[in-house]
Amino acid sequence: MVNQTLPKHKKLWFERLMALVATVNLGLVVFDLTYVQWRDFYLRRLPQITQIYDPIKGIAAHRETQSYLKAVDALKEQVNQTGLTSPQAKVKLDELTRLSVEMIDSNPFAGVGKSGTLEKIKNRMRDRIGKDSAKQSFATFWSQAYLSQKGWNQEITFFNQKISPLIASNYYRQIGENSEYLDDFWLIDLPFVTIFAIEFLARIFYIKRRHPGSSLLNAVFDRCYDLLLLIPFWRWLRVIPVIVRLDQAQLLNLQPLQRQINQTVVANFAEELTEIVVVRVINQIQISIKQGDFTRWISQQENLRPYVDINNVNEIEAIAGILTQTVVYEVLPKIQPDIAAILRHNIDTVLNQVPLYRNLQAFPAIGQAQTQLSEQLATQITTSLYSVLVSAIQDPVGAKLTTQLAQSFTNALGAEVQQKKVTAEIQSLLFDFLEEVKLNYVQRLSQEDIESIVEQTRQLRTQSYIQPIVEQSTAIVEMREKKI
């Protein structure tokens, strides 16, 4: 027992280890795919990440916006040294005004799709100054008169908090020889892909070893979802093998999700499938009727497809036997008084129709004797009939004669039905009846509660029905034999 459990335990831990490795790789893929969109957030909150990951994505500081921020730093240093009203400070302010106009005209943010950032800068500067022109607003802001009037510290704090971070968020992305943005994420992804490739080959070898008769292509198909871990493009598809691996490693239970997906898919197609399947079955029956299968079935020819029997029992004959015994032994004794009452009533009716007997009823003794006679006659008839039925069932010769009678009836009926006129009429009526079923009931079938049908189907799939049927059939046959 220990020797069997240990390999399974080791296999589960290996599956969990590889599932966690795949999950880490998927996390890095998601981080890489969203890095550019989230770079502004990382720059504000976690600037260390941008310092590490910007070179991997080919991101560098944009020279124009970087020069603008350096000019602002130079102005701050000049103001600290000579004051805001000094000629040196005025030169720095004029330089910033010129750079502001150039930034608005050239729009260095457009190269990486950040034109909205420039619009945000312009709007904030317009709101601060109160002018409609962004260029005039920058010119006013970078003037000695405005900064002296509003206060240098207050205004430069506004710029540092509201404007400078937006300008600093701009960047330049290097373009490779393939006209695509430079992206060295493959250097990070390569170790993971190597691990997954080695594991994939090992699994294929293991599957081929366990199933020598299986082809190599079938072994690859068994783990085809792992191929998504190896391709260098569409990396977001790796979520599929990661989810499968987490489920196989028992770290994630996907059964409820799978059941809901299956139910949703089945519910979407169930109505059309119901109509298609039912109509196709009815069409096949109609074709069989046209081809004469109905006539051959009636004549009991053996050229039809063999019937599949699961218990070597003629169920129709067994059911007929059970019903016959139930009627004779259980039902008839309970309703025998009612049958006698009906017979007594019919006897009295017949006697009352005789003129001579009606005249004799005037005598009291005759009327009382008639009542006793009717009761005795009715009781004797019902008792005799019941005894005949019981004897027919218990008597082997009577049972044989009854079987012969049933066979003769079936043969006679089949011979009469096989007449060309009768067969043609029956086939025509059956064909029209099936056509009416398609028109009247197929749509009703497709409008049933699909979710209820799906739930019933799921319950059927969770249990084995052949074995219970065989056991139940065997039990019925044994009960019937014991009772006989």
Side-chain angles (χ1 to χ4, degrees):
M1 184 67 180
V2 176
N3 294 332
Q4 295 178 356
T5 306
L6 187 58
K8 294 182 179 180
H9 184 70
K10 289 183 177 180
K11 182 180 178 181
L12 180 60
W13 273 107
F14 176 76
E15 294 290 348
R16 289 182 175 179
L17 176 62
M18 295 307 302
L20 292 177
V21 172
T23 303
V24 172
N25 177 250
L26 178 63
L28 292 174
V29 168
V30 173
F31 173 79
D32 177 76
L33 293 176
T34 60
Y35 177 77
V36 175
Q37 291 80 3
W38 285 77
R39 182 179 180 276
D40 291 351
F41 172 80
Y42 298 138
L43 185 64
R44 292 193 305 268
R45 304 295 183 182
L46 300 168
Q48 298 83 358
I49 293 180
T50 60
Q51 294 175 6
I52 297 173
Y53 212 74
D54 275 357
I56 296 175
K57 303 298 289 184
I59 294 176
H62 197 283
R63 286 178 293 182
E64 186 174 344
T65 51
Q66 194 68 17
S67 298
Y68 191 97
L69 295 177
K70 289 181 179 180
V72 174
D73 292 336
L75 174 63
K76 295 177 184 178
E77 185 177 354
Q78 189 65 49
V79 170
N80 290 334
Q81 292 178 359
T82 62
L84 178 62
T85 58
S86 65
Q88 295 86 348
K90 187 177 186 308
V91 172
K92 301 294 184 182
L93 290 171
D94 292 341
E95 177 68 13
L96 281 171
T97 300
R98 182 184 65 81
L99 292 175
S100 298
V101 174
E102 290 182 357
M103 181 175 66
I104 294 174
D105 290 338
S106 63
N107 187 10
F109 298 85
V112 289
K114 292 177 65 68
S115 296
T117 301
L118 178 60
E119 292 300 319
K120 188 180 294 186
I121 293 172
K122 291 160 63 176
N123 291 333
R124 289 184 178 182
M125 189 58 70
R126 291 192 192 102
D127 294 339
R128 187 70 176 182
I129 302 303
K131 294 183 178 182
D132 295 334
S133 173
K135 294 180 180 180
Q136 292 179 4
S137 298
F138 271 103
T140 300
F141 185 84
W142 297 122
S143 64
Q144 289 179 330
Y146 176 81
L147 294 175
S148 299
Q149 179 184 359
K150 296 295 183 177
W152 162 257
N153 291 330
Q154 178 180 336
E155 295 305 307
I156 201 65
T157 300
F158 159 76
F159 183 87
N160 291 336
Q161 294 178 352
K162 301 298 182 180
I163 305 298
S164 181
L166 296 177
I167 298 176
S169 67
N170 190 37
Y171 57 88
Y172 168 78
R173 286 198 71 176
Q174 301 178 35
I175 299 178
E177 295 180 357
N178 58 353
S179 301
E180 299 289 340
Y181 287 126
L182 184 66
D183 192 348
D184 290 334
F185 177 73
W186 66 273
L187 294 174
I188 299 176
D189 194 42
L190 182 60
F192 290 95
V193 174
T194 303
I195 294 174
F196 296 143
I198 296 174
E199 182 210 12
F200 181 76
L201 294 176
R203 288 183 183 273
I204 297 302
F205 175 77
Y206 178 73
I207 294 174
K208 193 72 174 65
R209 185 178 178 182
R210 287 188 60 188
H211 307 282
S214 177
S215 65
L216 182 62
L217 187 60
N218 290 335
V220 173
F221 280 155
D222 287 343
R223 303 289 301 189
C224 59
Y225 52 86
D226 283 340
L227 294 175
L228 297 176
L229 296 171
L230 308 179
I231 58 177
F233 49 87
W234 297 342
R235 294 188 178 99
W236 56 271
L237 289 175
R238 296 182 185 182
V239 66
I240 297 175
V242 169
I243 292 178
V244 173
R245 285 169 173 263
L246 290 175
D247 182 59
Q248 292 175 345
Q250 300 180 11
L251 296 175
L252 184 66
N253 185 13
L254 296 180
Q255 294 300 324
L257 178 61
Q258 182 181 1
R259 184 164 54 250
Q260 185 62 36
I261 292 175
N262 292 339
Q263 183 172 344
T264 302
V265 173
V266 170
N268 289 334
F269 293 99
E271 182 173 347
E272 295 184 6
L273 288 176
T274 301
E275 294 181 357
I276 292 173
V277 171
V278 175
V279 170
R280 185 171 182 180
V281 170
I282 294 177
N283 289 338
Q284 291 294 327
I285 296 175
Q286 290 177 325
I287 292 173
S288 298
I289 292 175
K290 284 186 175 181
Q291 292 177 349
D293 290 342
F294 174 74
T295 304
R296 291 193 297 270
W297 175 74
I298 291 177
S299 61
Q300 298 181 354
Q301 295 182 2
E302 299 296 334
N303 56 352
L304 298 179
R305 181 176 298 178
Y307 182 76
V308 179
D309 194 351
I310 62 174
N311 55 6
N312 296 323
V313 174
N314 188 331
E315 287 80 4
I316 303 299
E317 181 181 348
I319 292 174
I322 293 174
L323 292 178
T324 301
Q325 293 181 21
T326 303
V327 170
V328 173
Y329 290 109
E330 304 294 339
V331 177
L332 288 181
K334 295 179 180 179
I335 65 173
Q336 188 172 355
D338 297 327
I339 297 176
I342 294 175
L343 289 175
R344 184 171 61 252
H345 171 71
N346 291 328
I347 293 172
D348 291 340
T349 302
V350 172
L351 292 177
N352 289 330
Q353 292 177 356
V354 179
L356 179 62
Y357 184 76
R358 285 201 302 267
N359 296 330
L360 294 176
Q361 283 184 335
F363 299 96
I366 299 297
Q368 184 177 3
Q370 181 265 335
T371 302
Q372 295 177 353
L373 177 62
S374 298
E375 291 180 355
Q376 293 178 359
L377 186 59
T379 303
Q380 185 176 359
I381 292 174
T382 54
T383 304
S384 299
L385 288 175
Y386 180 72
S387 300
V388 170
L389 289 176
V390 173
S391 299
I393 293 176
Q394 294 179 350
D395 184 11
V397 177
K400 183 177 180 180
L401 294 175
T402 304
T403 303
Q404 292 178 356
L405 174 62
Q407 291 178 352
S408 299
F409 174 79
T410 303
N411 295 334
L413 178 62
E416 294 298 325
V417 171
Q418 289 179 41
Q419 294 182 10
K420 186 174 181 181
K421 181 179 179 181
V422 176
T423 302
E425 291 180 357
I426 293 177
Q427 289 180 346
S428 177
L429 291 173
L430 285 176
F431 189 89
D432 294 340
F433 171 73
L434 293 174
E435 195 67 27
E436 292 177 358
V437 170
K438 286 194 295 186
L439 296 176
N440 293 283
Y441 298 103
V442 172
Q443 184 177 4
R444 186 183 303 175
L445 286 174
S446 64
Q447 293 176 349
E448 289 188 29
D449 188 354
I450 299 301
E451 293 185 359
S452 176
I453 296 175
V454 172
E455 183 63 27
Q456 294 175 16
T457 305
R458 185 182 301 115
Q459 292 178 359
L460 288 176
R461 289 181 178 178
T462 58
Q463 59 185 358
S464 174
Y465 14 83
I466 296 298
Q467 185 63 28
I469 291 175
V470 174
E471 294 177 355
Q472 186 175 5
S473 302
T474 305
I476 292 175
V477 172
E478 292 177 353
M479 291 175 59
R480 178 170 172 264
E481 291 177 352
K482 290 181 180 178
K483 196 164 188 179
I484 293 176

